[in-house]
Amino acid sequence: MSTGITETEDDGTETQTQAVGAARAAGETYTEMDSQEIEAANEEARRRTRELVEEADRTVKLKVFRFDPEVPEKEEPRFDTFTVPFSKGMTVLDALMWARDQYDSSLTFRHSCRQAVCGSDALFVNGRQRLGCKTQVADLADSGIPKKVRIEPLPHAEVVKDLVVDMEHFYDQMESVEPYFQGEDTPDGLEEQYQSRENREKVKMSTRCIWCGACMSSCNIAAGNNDYLGPAAINKAYRFAMDDREGEDLTEHRLNIIEQEHGVWRCQTQFSCTEVCPKDIPLTEHIQELKREAVKKNLKFW
Amino acid sequence: MHEHDVIVVGGGGAGLRAAIAAHEEGADVAIVTKLHPVRSHTGAAEGGINAALRDGDDPKDHAYDTMKGSDYLGDAPAIETLCEMSPEETIQLEHWGMPFSREDDGRVSQRPFGGLSFPRTTYAGAETGHHLLHTMYEQVVKRGITVYDEFYVTELATTDHPDPEERECHGCIAYDIKSGDLVGFEASGGVILATGGDGQAFDHTTNAVANTGDGLAMAYRAGVPVEDPEFVQFHPTTLPSTGVLISEGVRGEGGILYNGDGERFMFEHGYANNDGELASRDVVSRAELTEVNEGRGIEDEYVYLDMRHLGEERVVDRLENILHLAEDFEGVDGLDEPMPVKPGQHYHMGGIETNENGHTCIDGLYAAGECACVSVHGSNRLGGNALPELIVFGARAGYHAAGRDLGEARIPTGPSARTEDETGLDTPVSPGAIDQPDPDAVADGGAMTADPAATVERTLDGERARVEEMMERDGINHAEIRSDLQDAMTQNVNVFREKEGIQDALETIRDCRERYQNVAVADPSRTFNTDLLHTIETRNLIDVAETIALGALAREEFRGAHWRAEHQARDDEDWLKHTMIAWNDGEPDLYYTDVLLEGEEKTYEPKIRSY
């Protein structure tokens, strides 16, 4: 089968790339690097990293939590310090990625979207739950840039490795509140359910949750009581309970779920969840509102 | 070994919709995804979903706009399918509880968008994708669909046969990120690839770090042609420092683009005398870069997008998310000052060749969403057409894989659709695999096995050996290779392309391939080894980048998002055809197939495209 691809002949110009290209075109095959060449390449990479750090106008020191149950030297949790060149607009995630790519490819953390919507990189930065991608390094100091940035995995969660925590418990709590719309009387065909602008506004903030787990990690109650639903799951319940498109029977069903022993009544209004939420969801307020609804519902029977 | 009827690879919009559809059809379906579903990049989509829902609008008008937007490289059967099904799929989302923005009368809101003849972009604030993704994941939870969360699919398990159209896909292999085990997945009904975009082949992109073209690269190496890879969309409004997307919704609501001299250049310099800022994305991106190149940009890099005149109430009501993004990632208050924007890689029109049922030429292998190419978008996607693509073709792939009869597909696939060969493409280096036939390629004349489980086992053994080797040996880190690749693509295969630059990119890609032969994973751990994950991704990016560059070099015309310095006109006589690149055991084979302009009721005539 013809590939239809022909290679350019060397046109005689003297650039190195073209010479290499011509050599390849002439059928020279690729040869593997030997161990000395690999070591030289890696040493060269380390030298360039050092150079970048030395040439930088300003640097920032990341003090990063390390742990790996499988690697003998990381079995005991420890902190590693990485010196990273600072650039304007640099986020904590940028700094972590630089450290990983330049110093230690085993440095492990979750991240994906870089824009505060996927909820992957909730971390404990300088003693507070934050999204790495949304946190400007420069904002971590009162003036200038911070001398040190301490980065740890989310507290109150089991550490899998380095900055990665097990999210299963968080997901379980989410799922326990039946986190899906259960409206029954949807119109036929291409007709939507009507919803007032006011009602959409009422649930708007609650629908912005990105499941990052910052709130759950910051909550003292959740820390001491593994059964407590936690702010994110209760907020999810609120999102549906307050949505007019679900009928009254369903609202009652949802209130029954969240007024159980480990539901809304555990909340002691410390506001820590609200303070750390990267999407500014008024979590504590939502929880209180559900408490009120639960009381009102029971009044019917008194 | 896990066994299911249908395996969906990827948990974004298309993957979730496919899984729900297969489940509705009664199949035992599982989603295998490297990210938990709610982490998918569908969540970053902002603008909305195009659907002809209202009086005065019609799916036929939507189809016409889409065909015009595609610069007549879209296939009519695919476009008409999209436009006819989008209304029911969009309303389905509302029935599932998606919190759409609302009009005063309580109906879902629609806004104007680029290249549309009717304001049919159905939105939920400036965070439509987030709500779509979460709403669909809720439905997956409701149905109890199995999700293998944080399992990274590394290779497809297909039978060996010289002709890809005779091959069968029986499953795939995934790396359990948490435990480090490689696991086989067997699918009796089919494997649906829904792995999303490949923006990480570029340096300045709106795409997530996880968008590494895994599905596209795996299908390509399994023998499915990559269709129209040269067509890459550069979104006109991304934040200069990070590539974060500023929705077209800003212009849809009335936002204005200014150059450094304060001119409303879309009109004043004649780029789009009718539609101005709401011209198609390719037109606006080129206009911005032309302004910058001619010295009328700001800081020689960007232009301004201004929404201050819309007033706080309207901005907060419809575009609140944009205020947060501009503040958090550029330090700009959009109510107080104009936002700096420049074009950034955003979406890949090209992808895995499929028909309108999501089926590829390999039996049992499907693709849907951004990784696929049906082709709905041709050479340029309209804003608001990606989300309906996810739900419409995700659903179709899911139904079809689970056995529903969707009728005869009108779009032919595979090498048998070939109408013309590329002859004598001028590449500076030989593209494709290095030296020996690639160990990961489906080898000609390998063991022909009739037993699906044995096929999966054999692929699993191969993947174990590959991973083992990368973990054991000494070598270099992949990160620098990835970043060199990204730089070369952004430098040379960007909005403006010229022959020499594309050839330079091909040389760099070849160089990356050679260096990649020596990569090793430094992290010895089996637990959550992202070093290994990213190393495998980088190899996928090399394959994807090469198809983009080869397609761009071959296509000697200017169509849609593909602008060539040497070829300043659309050339329907020679180039009204789809580019196809087949892996061909590591020696890329370029050929062409017909564009289908014949629809159900009419044939679309290519016209001059102006806005």
Side-chain angles (χ1 to χ4, degrees), chain A residues 79-123:
Chain A
F79 281 89
D80 283 352
T81 302
F82 301 102
T83 305
V84 175
F86 175 81
S87 54
K88 186 177 170 291
M90 180 176 239
T91 63
V92 168
L93 176 63
D94 293 333
L96 274 174
M97 286 165 77
W98 201 92
R100 180 195 65 202
D101 292 346
Q102 298 286 335
Y103 290 114
D104 181 356
S105 60
S106 74
L107 178 57
T108 304
F109 46 93
R110 287 192 185 98
H111 64 302
S112 186
C113 75
R114 306 165 298 129
Q115 57 183 80
V117 76
C118 77
S120 299
D121 70 341
L123 299 162

Side-chain angles (χ1 to χ4, degrees), chain A residues 33-254:
Chain A
M33 292 161 88
D34 63 28
S35 59
Q36 270 179 313
E37 287 167 321
I38 285 171
E39 187 39 50
N42 287 335
E43 181 47 48
E44 172 60 17
R46 286 190 289 269
R47 192 194 59 75
R48 274 201 306 270
T49 302
R50 283 196 299 273
E51 207 171 68
L52 287 169
V53 171
E54 281 158 16
E55 287 173 358
D57 294 340
R58 293 177 297 174
T59 58
V60 62
K61 282 195 167 18
L62 303 187
K63 198 176 166 191
V64 186
F65 178 89
R66 307 300 301 275
F67 165 74
D68 187 333
E70 263 202 277
V71 178
E73 54 272 24
K74 284 168 79 184
E75 272 178 340
E76 280 300 312
R78 63 166 203 244
F79 281 89
D80 283 352
T81 302
F82 301 102
T83 305
V84 175
F86 175 81
S87 54
K88 186 177 170 291
M90 180 176 239
T91 63
V92 168
L93 176 63
D94 293 333
L96 274 174
M97 286 165 77
W98 201 92
R100 180 195 65 202
D101 292 346
Q102 298 286 335
Y103 290 114
D104 181 356
S105 60
S106 74
L107 178 57
T108 304
F109 46 93
R110 287 192 185 98
H111 64 302
S112 186
C113 75
R114 306 165 298 129
Q115 57 183 80
V117 76
C118 77
S120 299
D121 70 341
L123 299 162
F124 200 53
V125 181
N126 284 3
R128 184 192 160 113
Q129 287 80 358
R130 311 171 198 257
L131 293 182
C133 63
K134 203 185 163 191
T135 305
Q136 294 281 327
V137 170
D139 289 348
L140 294 170
D142 290 339
S143 60
I145 55 168
K147 285 200 169 53
K148 267 208 182 115
V149 178
R150 204 176 52 164
I151 308 171
E152 298 164 82
L154 287 180
H156 307 145
E158 196 184 328
V159 179
V160 177
K161 175 178 171 180
D162 291 354
L163 302 172
V164 173
V165 296
D166 191 326
M167 294 289 287
E168 286 311 309
H169 176 63
F170 178 88
Y171 297 146
D172 288 347
Q173 298 303 70
M174 276 297 205
E175 289 197 15
S176 71
V177 299
E178 299 180 15
Y180 38 82
F181 185 72
Q182 298 180 53
E184 290 298 332
D185 47 358
T186 47
D188 289 336
L190 292 182
E191 181 90 17
E192 65 264 60
Q193 304 163 93
Y194 283 38
Q195 182 183 27
S196 69
R197 289 174 67 104
E198 293 71 24
N199 185 242
R200 198 250 171 192
E201 199 61 27
K202 170 112 186 132
V203 297
K204 183 178 82 177
M205 293 309 286
S206 67
T207 63
R208 291 193 175 167
C209 174
I210 55 173
W211 297 45
C212 70
C215 57
M216 193 86 158
S217 165
S218 75
C219 173
N220 278 331
I221 311 304
N225 171 5
N226 234 4
D227 294 328
Y228 174 45
L229 289 173
I234 296 174
N235 175 70
K236 192 79 179 171
Y238 175 97
R239 176 257 172 281
F240 292 111
M242 296 296 170
D243 193 318
D244 285 348
R245 291 174 295 172
E246 279 195 350
E248 276 181 34
D249 291 353
L250 269 170
T251 310
E252 182 149 341
H253 172 64
R254 292 197 178 278

